[in-house]
Amino acid sequence: MKAGFTAVLVLLCVSLAACTRYGVVEQRPVTSEFDAYRLDTGDQLRVTVFGQADLSGDFTVDGNGAISMPLLPPIVARGLTTEEFEGVVAAELGRRLLRNPNVSAQVMQFRPFFILGEVQNAGQYPYVNGMTVQSAAAIAGGYTYRANENRIRITRNLGDRIVEINVDSKALVMPGDTILVRERYF
């Protein structure tokens, strides 16, 4: 009986060890406190005013954080979510031109991210949805031999403030982020 129990226990330990080697290594939630995407300079939006093809189109958020649409004054988009922006456009159209306008906005192209420091090709790159620091480094040609993959700083504009966050290589990157991969000393 004791030998059978020991054999089962050894088999269980071996199978658990195999799971950790080939199974799920780590699980992280995809969401964070910065989830609500905020529009900013460089974002390209497709705005659709239903039933009004002349008012619909693709627009880019300019350096002042606004979008210029036909027959409307510039509409501030910086710091707004797409849903908030839709409400502002609908309110402006309702006040000036249309009765009960129905507006839809979606981001067609996100603003780029920047990566500096210990990567092969530092610079500006197009953002890919769901990107991590590790995939951003891969886009930039990979880490240099001196890169410290555990000492990375992201600078992020949150509309009314700019924050610097110390992260590891598995952290999510947002459009407009500046990633600094620091150097290791040994």
Side-chain angles (χ1 to χ4, degrees), residues 77-185:
R78 178 178 286 145
L80 301 178
T81 64
T82 52
E83 293 81 18
E84 292 168 345
F85 179 73
E86 289 170 357
V88 170
V89 172
E92 192 67 27
L93 285 169
R95 194 168 62 80
R96 294 179 180 267
L97 297 171
L98 302 174
R99 186 177 297 162
N100 298 323
N102 191 351
V103 177
S104 171
Q106 67 185 61
V107 179
M108 297 304 294
Q109 183 176 1
F110 294 100
R111 59 191 178 274
F113 73 94
F114 304 86
I115 188 162
L116 308 167
E118 296 299 319
V119 291
Q120 297 294 331
N121 302 306
Q124 171 183 320
Y125 294 95
Y127 176 78
V128 177
N129 204 8
M131 176 182 295
T132 63
V133 170
Q134 192 171 36
S135 56
I139 290 171
Y143 295 111
T144 65
Y145 72 96
R146 299 288 294 174
N148 186 344
E149 297 176 33
N150 296 317
R151 288 194 65 219
I152 298 166
R153 175 174 284 167
I154 292 179
T155 304
R156 182 171 292 160
N157 184 345
L158 296 178
D160 60 341
R161 65 191 191 284
I162 294 176
V163 297
E164 290 186 353
I165 312 161
N166 290 321
V167 298
D168 63 8
S169 62
K170 294 179 180 118
L172 288 176
V173 175
M174 298 297 290
D177 280 357
T178 300
I179 304 164
L180 175 62
V181 180
R182 296 187 184 156
E183 179 181 23
R184 66 179 166 82
Y185 297 110

Side-chain angles (χ1 to χ4, degrees), residues 9-129:
L9 187 59
V10 168
L11 183 61
L12 180 63
C13 289
V14 168
S15 64
L16 285 176
C19 289
T20 59
R21 182 170 179 206
Y22 297 107
V24 175
V25 176
E26 180 181 6
Q27 289 187 15
R28 293 173 160 233
V30 176
T31 60
S32 74
E33 65 180 277
F34 307 111
D35 270 352
Y37 181 69
R38 302 284 174 178
L39 301 171
D40 206 346
T41 300
D43 286 330
Q44 185 177 356
L45 298 173
R46 174 164 294 149
V47 179
T48 305
V49 181
F50 293 98
Q52 302 295 322
D54 293 339
L55 297 174
S56 301
D58 292 348
F59 305 97
T60 302
V61 181
D62 65 19
N64 294 326
I67 289 182
S68 297
M69 293 179 61
L71 304 175
L72 294 176
I75 298 172
V76 175
R78 178 178 286 145
L80 301 178
T81 64
T82 52
E83 293 81 18
E84 292 168 345
F85 179 73
E86 289 170 357
V88 170
V89 172
E92 192 67 27
L93 285 169
R95 194 168 62 80
R96 294 179 180 267
L97 297 171
L98 302 174
R99 186 177 297 162
N100 298 323
N102 191 351
V103 177
S104 171
Q106 67 185 61
V107 179
M108 297 304 294
Q109 183 176 1
F110 294 100
R111 59 191 178 274
F113 73 94
F114 304 86
I115 188 162
L116 308 167
E118 296 299 319
V119 291
Q120 297 294 331
N121 302 306
Q124 171 183 320
Y125 294 95
Y127 176 78
V128 177
N129 204 8

